[in-house]
Amino acid sequence: MILKSVFTLVLGASLLVGCTSDKSETLRDIKAVDFAHQASDVPADDNVIYGKLPNGVRYAVMHNATPTKTAALRVRIATGSLNETDEQRGLAHFLEHMAFNGSKNIPEGEMVKRLERHGLAFGADTNAYTSFDQTVYTLDLPDVSDELFDETLMIMRETVENLTLAQEAIERERGVVQAEKRRGDSPAARAGRDNLRFLTKGSRIYDRLPIGVDETLASMNAEAFRSYYEAYYRPENTFIVLVGDIETDYAVAKIAQYFSDWQAVGEAGEQMNAGTIPLRGADIGYFTDPDIQTTITLGTLKPYMERADIADNRKQAFIDGLGNRILNRRLASLALEADAQFLNGGGGVSSILKTAEIATLTMASRPENWANALDVGVGELRKALKYGFTQAELDEQLANSRKGAQVAVQTAETRRTGSLAGGILAGFSGERVFAHPSGSLQRLEDYIDVISLDEVWDSFKNQWSALDQPLLYLKTSEILENPETQIKQAFEAAMVLEIEQNVQEAQDHFAYTDFGTPGKVVQTSRIDDVGADLIKFDNNVLLNLKATDFEKDTIRISVSIGDGSLSIPVKDGALNSLANTMMSAGGLEAHSVDDISRLMAGKAVGAGFGIGTKAFFISGSTVVSDLADQLNLMTAMASAPGYREEAQARYAKYIESWYPTLDSTPGGVASREMGRLLRSGDERYGLPNQEALLATTIEDVKNWISPQLANGQIEISIVGDFDKDEVIKQVARTFGALPERTLGHKSYPEMTKLVFPQGRKKPVVLSHSGDENRAQLRVHWPAPDGSDIEVNRQLNVLRRVFSNKLTDVIREEEGAAYSPSASRVGSRLFKDYGYMSVSLGLTPENVGDMGQKLAEIAEDLRTGNVSDDEFTRAVQPILENLDTSMESNSYWMSVISNAQTDSWGIDNFRTRTAAYQNMTLADILPIAAEIFRADL
C-alpha cells in the first residue's frame, strides 16, 4: 500500500461538499441528489468516498491495492450524441478524438506521446469512448507517483477545459473519424442499425447514432466544435473516478487541486433525451443483403416506467429476469438437438435510453429456416405464457444466482482496480448504487428461498402482455417476394401451432466422480525463486503448483494433453475446424452439454477445450469449495469425450449460415485466405472452402484426438488461492487415477516445416463483395522465428516502435486509417519461420499513397532513423507493466505451464526484467535492418 499525505490543509471541509445521506429520511428523488445512494435504501460500498467540489465537479475515490502501485482514472462528461443538433451529428464522438489533438498547454500530437513516455500504451492504457449520453476518458496508471498523477490529472484538465480545436487539426483528424465509421460499415452492421431503427421508431435514437453521418462529418468546423464544447464540457457535467493504491484523502486532494478552479464558459447546453417510442400496432420490418446471417425478431412495446434503484425494485427486477432466463435456457437446450431448426435464440426486456419497455425474442437460423425458427421461438414463448415453468427450472436459475453472488463476496477483497473504476462509473451513469457484493448477497438471501413459481410466471406474463401487437423484424440473405405478407403469415401460423406443457425432468447425478485408485506422488521438487511446486504421480501425470493471493478463493487450472495440432494426421484445416467445435460442444459420453449445465447448477464449474500447436488444452477456473467438481469435469473431458452427432449438426448449420458472409468485408476475405498465402499454401491454415468444412466427420475427429487423450502426456498447471495438500489430493483422485501416460512429445518434422512466400513487387489482390469504399492493405516481411528469448524481446519492442510510427504517420498525419497496427508472428516450433506485418483499413483510392508511406516508414526502420524518444515510448509501457504482471494469475500460469518438460517460461521469467531494463535502441536496429531489407 502506498501512503500519500494530503498536499495542503486548506482543502478541508470548507472546500469539499460532503455526500452522506440520512437514511432515516423519506427517500428522495434521484434528480434531487448528487449520487444514487443518496436516494436509495441500498447501502453503497463504504470503501468508496463520494464528493462534490463547489464548482459542481463530482468524484468518487477508492483505495484498492490489486494490483499494487497502480491506479485507474476515469473522467465522464455527461454529454453524447443525443445533445447534437441535426448539423452536429457525430460531433460528440469527433470531439472525443480532438481531445488528443492539441490543447492550451499541450501541442497537437504530444498528448499521447507524453503518456507513452510515462508507460501508458495508446489504446491499452489510454482510451476514450462516446455513447448517446456520455463521453468517457480512461487512463490506467502503471504507478502512483506524484509525477504521474500530476501529469495525468493535468492532461484531463486540459481535455475538459483547454482544447485548442484548431481548424487545421480538425481537418487532419476528420479522415480518422471517417475511417472509423467506414470500418464499422459492413452489411451486418447496416442490418443491425436498420433493426434498431425499426424497434425504436419515433424516438431520436436512430438519428443520433454516436458515429454520425457522412454529411456532417465532412463539414463540421471549429466554430461548431467550440460551441458544443463550451456548452457541455462543464464542471456540473463532470464525474471523476480515481481508484488505486493510494489513500483516499490524497486522491480527493489531487482532484481538488486540478479541478476546483475550473469555471464554465457561457450558457449550459440543454440536456436532450432520446424521446419516447410511441406505442404502435402490429408492425413488420425486413432487411435483406446477400452477405448477412438470418435472424427473426419478435418484439412488443410498453410505456417506460421509471424505477428508482431501491431494494424492493432490485428484488422485483431479479424476479422479472427469471422467466426470460428460463425461456432462454429452454431455447439453448433445443438448439443443441441434431434436428434443431435454428442456430440459437433468446430474449429479454430492456428499456433503451428510457424510451420504452421493449420485450424481444430473436431466433437465428439458416436463411431458408427463418419461419421454422420463428415457430420454435413463438412456441416456447406461448408454452411459458400458458403453462408457466417447472420447479426444477426455477431451482437451477436460483442456484446459479446464489452461487454467483457468493463467489462475488468470496473474491471481493481482490477486485481489480480497473474493474472497480468501471463499476463505479457504470453505477453513476445508470443512476444505480455501487454496492458491496456482501450487501447484494445478503439482500438476495433475504428473499431467494421464498420466490414462487407463480411470482415468476405472473411477472413473465406481464412483461409479454402486449403480444397481441407484435413487432416482427426479419433480416436475411433470402429475398422474399412479399415480405410483409410472408412474415405476418409465418407469425400467425406460429401462434396457432399446438403446444404441450414441458415435463419436469428428474435431477440425476454427474456420472464421473470415481476414476479409480488415487495416484501416488513419486517425485516432488520446488523452484524457490518462482515459488512453484513440481509433482509427479506414479501414472506419469505431472502437476505444477503456484500459490498466489491475487484472486481470493480463485483457482485457475490448465491441463496440457498430447501433441496438439502437430499430431493432425493430414494437413487439413477442415479437420481442425470441426475438432475445435466438437471437443467444446460434444459433451461427455454420459452427458450432453445441456446435461452438464443442469447438473453443475449452483457451482462455479466450467471448462473449455482448446487445440494448441504442441498440445491440447482443457482450461477452467473455480473457487476452493468447488475444486473437486471442477477436476471431475476436466478429467471426464479428457477420459470420456462425447463426440456427439448433435455437435456436428450444429456445426454444419453454423458453417452454412456464416461462411457465405465472409466475402462481405476485407477482414473476412483475409481471414479465409491469408493464413495459407503466408505459408506457401499449407492447407492447415486459413479457411478451407465450405464443401470441405462440411465433409469432415465425427469419426475423423475421434480417430485423431482419442489416442492423444488416451495416451498423451498430461501436465497440469494450477495457480491461485489454494491449500497445496488439498489440491494434490484432488488431482491424485482424478487425473492421478487415470491409466499410465507416456512422457514427452513425439517428433513431427513434416508438420513443423513452414515456408514464407517469395516477395512480390505486384501485390496479391483479393476481392470482397461489400462496401466498394472499403479496402485493407496488408504487408508482411520475413522475420526471425521465436527460438531466441532475447530476440523475441527485441522484436516485441521493434513492433511497438513500428506501431507508434504507423499511428503518428498513417493516422495522425495522413488521417487515412483509424487503427493502423503492426503485429509479429514467430514460434520456437517452426524453425526459420516468422514475419512482421502491417494491416491498414483504407479507401481503395488511398491504397497506393499509403503503400508509399508504409514503404517510407519501413525505410526509416531499415536505416535506423528511429529516435531515442520513439524507443522510449515503445519500451516504457513494457517496463511499467513488468511488476504489475507479476500480480496476475494469468502471467504466472504462463510461467509454470509445462515447467517440468519445458524451461522456456521459467527462463523468460528469470531474465525478462533485466533484459528490458538494459535494452537500448542500438539493440533493435540491427534486427530492423535485417527485416526491412531493401531487396525484399
Side-chain angles (χ1 to χ4, degrees):
M1 181 174 68
I2 307 301
L3 298 176
K4 302 287 187 178
S5 60
V6 178
F7 79 100
T8 173
L9 295 177
V10 175
L11 296 176
S14 62
L15 179 60
L16 303 178
V17 180
C19 288
T20 58
S21 61
D22 184 355
K23 295 300 180 184
S24 66
E25 297 176 0
T26 302
L27 293 176
R28 292 178 278 175
D29 186 335
I30 185 66
K31 303 302 180 187
V33 298
D34 292 314
F35 301 99
H37 62 270
Q38 296 171 327
S40 177
D41 56 355
V42 176
D45 187 328
D46 59 14
N47 295 296
V48 183
I49 307 300
Y50 295 88
K52 181 178 179 181
L53 301 179
N55 62 356
V57 171
R58 286 172 284 181
Y59 61 81
V61 301
M62 181 181 184
H63 170 75
N64 189 66
T66 307
T68 59
K69 301 180 183 179
T70 66
L73 175 63
R74 308 287 184 261
V75 177
R76 175 188 188 266
I77 309 296
T79 190
S81 57
L82 290 177
N83 285 334
E84 298 165 353
T85 65
D86 287 344
E87 294 74 26
Q88 295 174 330
R89 285 176 291 176
L91 191 151
H93 170 252
F94 200 152
L95 178 58
E96 169 219 308
H97 278 244
M98 294 307 299
F100 300 96
N101 283 280
S103 66
K104 179 180 177 181
N105 296 299
I106 302 176
E108 181 185 357
E110 279 298 307
M111 182 178 290
V112 170
K113 294 177 181 178
R114 290 176 68 142
L115 290 169
E116 287 171 341
R117 291 172 193 130
H118 283 278
L120 282 77
F122 183 55
D125 305 311
T126 305
N127 219 321
Y129 60 88
T130 302
S131 68
F132 289 98
D133 58 357
Q134 63 178 347
T135 303
V136 177
Y137 299 92
T138 72
L139 297 176
D140 290 332
L141 282 56
D143 68 64
V144 289
S145 65
D146 287 324
E147 179 186 9
L148 186 54
F149 277 118
D150 288 337
E151 179 75 0
T152 53
L153 288 167
M154 181 275 291
I155 285 174
M156 285 295 96
R157 174 64 183 272
E158 289 288 291
T159 298
V160 299
E161 183 186 23
N162 293 324
L163 295 186
T164 308
L165 302 176
Q167 187 65 44
E168 297 82 0
I170 291 170
E171 295 303 331
R172 280 187 287 273
E173 192 67 21
R174 197 185 303 277
V176 177
V177 177
Q178 291 170 327
E180 181 178 359
K181 183 177 184 297
R182 188 170 59 245
R183 187 182 70 161
D185 196 19
S186 65
R190 287 194 290 273
R193 290 195 297 269
D194 191 70
N195 193 356
L196 179 68
R197 176 201 58 76
F198 173 76
L199 287 175
T200 63
K201 189 184 300 183
S203 74
R204 300 178 64 236
I205 291 176
Y206 182 76
D207 289 331
R208 289 298 180 274
L209 296 176
I211 196 61
V213 296
D214 291 334
E215 296 78 10
T216 53
L217 291 179
S219 61
M220 287 183 292
N221 59 25
E223 182 179 353
F225 277 87
R226 177 63 57 186
S227 174
Y228 183 95
Y229 182 56
E230 292 179 352
Y232 293 106
Y233 276 56
R234 306 171 67 86
E236 65 270 25
N237 290 340
T238 302
F239 176 58
I240 301 172
V241 181
L242 183 50
V243 179
D245 195 6
I246 51 174
E247 292 305 302
T248 54
D249 286 348
Y250 172 84
V252 169
K254 278 295 185 184
I255 291 171
Q257 178 185 354
Y258 280 93
F259 289 90
S260 61
D261 63 347
W262 174 27
Q263 297 300 316
V265 175
E267 295 294 322
E270 180 183 1
Q271 290 286 354
M272 303 291 290
N273 59 36
T276 59
I277 301 174
L279 302 187
R280 61 190 194 266
D283 197 4
I284 294 172
Y286 169 70
F287 184 96
T288 185
D289 189 288
D291 294 318
I292 62 173
Q293 293 178 269
T294 295
T295 63
I296 178 76
T297 296
L298 164 65
T300 69
L301 291 175
K302 296 174 70 175
Y304 171 74
M305 291 182 59
E306 188 76 45
R307 293 176 175 86
D309 186 24
I310 58 176
D312 285 347
N313 286 342
R314 286 200 175 192
K315 174 184 176 182
Q316 188 58 52
F318 177 75
I319 295 172
D320 290 344
L322 289 169
N324 285 302
R325 284 167 56 184
I326 295 173
L327 173 64
N328 292 342
R329 182 71 176 85
R330 290 180 177 180
L331 291 170
S333 179
L334 291 172
L336 295 172
E337 297 180 357
D339 60 351
Q341 296 295 304
F342 67 106
L343 295 169
N344 55 69
V349 179
S350 62
S351 53
I352 304 176
L353 295 169
K354 303 182 179 181
T355 53
E357 291 192 3
I358 308 176
T360 57
L361 176 64
T362 297
M363 307 292 292
S365 71
R366 290 180 293 187
E368 70 276 12
N369 272 353
W370 66 266
N372 293 331
L374 183 64
D375 285 345
V376 176
V378 170
E380 290 304 314
L381 176 59
R382 290 174 56 219
K383 272 197 279 188
L385 290 170
K386 182 175 182 179
Y387 299 116
F389 311 105
T390 69
Q391 189 63 48
E393 289 175 314
L394 178 58
D395 289 344
E396 179 180 343
Q397 297 304 321
L398 295 179
N400 287 335
S401 296
R402 172 178 266 138
K403 187 63 178 184
Q406 290 171 341
V407 170
V409 172
Q410 291 168 347
T411 58
E413 289 182 20
T414 50
R415 292 175 290 176
R416 305 289 287 187
T417 286
S419 176
L420 285 167
I424 294 168
L425 181 70
F428 180 86
S429 303
E431 297 181 342
R432 289 180 56 81
V433 178
F434 181 74
H436 192 276
S438 60
S440 300
L441 174 61
Q442 183 57 58
R443 284 186 296 277
L444 183 67
E445 292 290 4
D446 288 343
Y447 57 75
I448 191 171
D449 289 328
V450 296
I451 292 175
S452 69
L453 282 170
D454 285 342
E455 279 183 288
V456 176
W457 190 25
D458 287 344
S459 169
F460 185 80
K461 289 186 289 187
N462 179 61
Q463 291 176 75
W464 286 96
S465 60
L467 196 55
D468 58 337
Q469 301 291 334
L471 307 179
L472 295 161
Y473 185 88
L474 173 66
K475 60 183 181 74
T476 181
S477 59
E478 186 176 42
I479 299 176
L480 305 185
E481 292 183 5
N482 192 339
E484 288 200 14
T485 299
Q486 290 173 260
I487 295 169
K488 179 181 178 182
Q489 290 175 345
F491 175 72
E492 290 174 345
M495 289 294 287
V496 297
L497 286 175
E498 184 175 347
I499 56 174
E500 296 181 358
Q501 185 174 4
N502 283 9
V503 177
Q504 181 166 330
E505 297 184 20
Q507 293 293 306
D508 48 8
H509 299 284
F510 190 64
Y512 303 98
T513 58
D514 186 353
F515 300 93
T517 304
K520 295 180 180 179
V521 174
V522 295
Q523 182 177 312
T524 64
S525 62
R526 182 169 176 82
I527 308 176
D528 290 329
D529 59 335
V530 176
D533 293 289
L534 311 183
I535 294 105
K536 180 180 179 182
F537 292 93
D538 55 356
N539 66 346
N540 288 332
V541 165
L542 308 175
L543 173 62
N544 309 320
L545 300 176
K546 164 70 177 176
T548 71
D549 57 4
F550 310 134
E551 296 176 327
K552 184 170 174 36
D553 206 34
T554 299
I555 302 173
R556 298 193 184 201
I557 306 171
S558 178
V559 182
S560 166
I561 308 177
D563 293 341
S565 64
L566 289 179
S567 66
I568 197 168
V570 290
K571 291 188 174 184
D572 185 354
L575 175 55
N576 197 69
S577 178
L578 175 60
N580 267 300
T581 296
M582 178 61 60
M583 301 309 296
S584 297
L588 304 170
E589 289 179 358
H591 304 302
S592 68
V593 170
D594 186 61
D595 294 334
I596 295 169
S597 295
R598 179 167 45 83
L599 292 167
M600 295 298 175
K603 298 174 182 177
V605 169
F609 191 99
I611 302 177
T613 303
K614 193 177 178 180
F616 301 96
F617 291 95
I618 301 173
S619 304
S621 64
T622 187
V623 292
V624 171
S625 57
D626 292 331
L627 176 62
D629 292 302
Q630 178 71 32
L631 286 170
N632 286 343
L633 174 62
M634 298 177 84
T635 309
M637 291 174 68
S639 58
Y643 302 112
R644 294 173 176 270
E645 291 185 3
E646 58 262 33
Q648 180 165 22
R650 182 174 174 82
Y651 169 79
K653 285 180 283 189
Y654 173 75
I655 292 297
E656 291 168 346
S657 175
W658 163 76
Y659 195 90
T661 70
L662 287 175
D663 278 328
S664 66
T665 64
V669 173
S671 70
R672 185 182 63 206
E673 305 293 342
M674 289 303 299
R676 280 189 303 277
L677 285 172
L678 290 171
R679 295 165 180 84
S680 300
D682 193 315
E683 293 297 325
R684 290 173 293 173
Y685 299 91
L687 287 170
N689 62 45
Q690 181 172 327
E691 182 180 0
L693 287 170
L694 295 175
T696 310
T697 68
I698 295 176
E699 285 304 308
D700 294 329
V701 175
K702 191 173 183 179
N703 290 338
W704 170 27
I705 294 183
S706 284
Q708 291 288 320
L709 296 182
N711 302 306
Q713 173 179 283
I714 293 181
E715 188 163 6
I716 305 167
S717 300
I718 300 182
V719 177
D721 185 11
F722 55 74
D723 177 82
K724 183 177 74 171
D725 292 339
E726 180 62 21
V727 169
I728 294 172
K729 173 184 173 183
Q730 291 297 335
V731 173
R733 181 186 62 79
T734 52
F735 284 97
L738 296 178
E740 184 175 340
R741 317 298 293 198
T742 60
L743 285 175
H745 296 282
K746 293 182 180 179
S747 175
Y748 299 91
E750 288 303 311
M751 291 298 182
T752 55
K753 291 179 181 178
L754 291 179
V755 179
F756 192 85
Q758 290 293 317
R760 302 168 54 115
K761 291 189 178 297
K762 185 178 180 180
V764 175
V765 177
L766 304 173
S767 299
H768 68 92
S769 60
D771 187 349
E772 62 182 16
N773 199 38
R774 296 182 67 187
Q776 191 175 86
L777 174 62
R778 294 193 176 194
V779 182
H780 306 79
W781 295 263
D785 62 30
S787 59
D788 188 299
I789 288 180
E790 191 55 34
V791 171
N792 274 342
R793 293 169 182 143
Q794 292 164 357
L795 285 167
N796 184 25
V797 176
L798 176 60
R799 182 198 63 79
R800 287 172 177 261
V801 170
F802 197 4
S803 287
N804 288 347
K805 278 183 171 286
L806 291 169
T807 299
D808 294 344
V809 176
I810 305 295
R811 174 181 164 126
E812 298 304 328
E813 293 179 12
E814 299 296 327
Y818 171 61
S819 57
S821 61
S823 61
R824 177 253 169 170
V825 168
S827 168
R828 292 181 291 150
L829 300 178
F830 301 101
K831 186 69 175 173
D832 299 324
Y833 181 85
Y835 59 83
M836 187 81 72
S837 66
V838 167
S839 175
L840 305 177
L842 304 167
T843 59
E845 60 268 22
N846 267 350
V847 169
D849 289 343
M850 292 308 105
Q852 181 58 41
K853 289 291 181 182
L854 189 55
E856 292 171 6
I857 295 171
E859 179 65 7
D860 281 345
L861 293 170
R862 184 187 73 83
T863 59
N865 187 16
V866 179
S867 69
D868 288 332
D869 182 62
E870 287 175 314
F871 175 78
T872 298
R873 289 168 45 213
V875 77
Q876 197 61 35
I878 299 173
L879 291 170
E880 292 290 352
N881 187 58
L882 292 176
D883 288 342
T884 301
S885 67
M886 292 181 67
E887 297 181 45
S888 163
N889 281 344
S890 60
Y891 170 71
W892 285 111
M893 183 65 79
S894 73
V895 172
I896 71 164
S897 288
N898 307 312
Q900 297 190 56
T901 57
D902 186 348
S903 65
W904 180 271
I906 303 295
D907 293 341
N908 187 44
F909 157 73
R910 287 172 172 160
T911 59
R912 66 170 190 153
T913 299
Y916 279 117
Q917 288 175 341
N918 295 325
M919 192 182 299
T920 67
L921 175 58
D923 293 323
I924 70 169
L925 292 181
I927 297 179
E930 176 64 22
I931 291 174
F932 300 105
R933 282 164 42 200
D935 59 333
L936 292 179

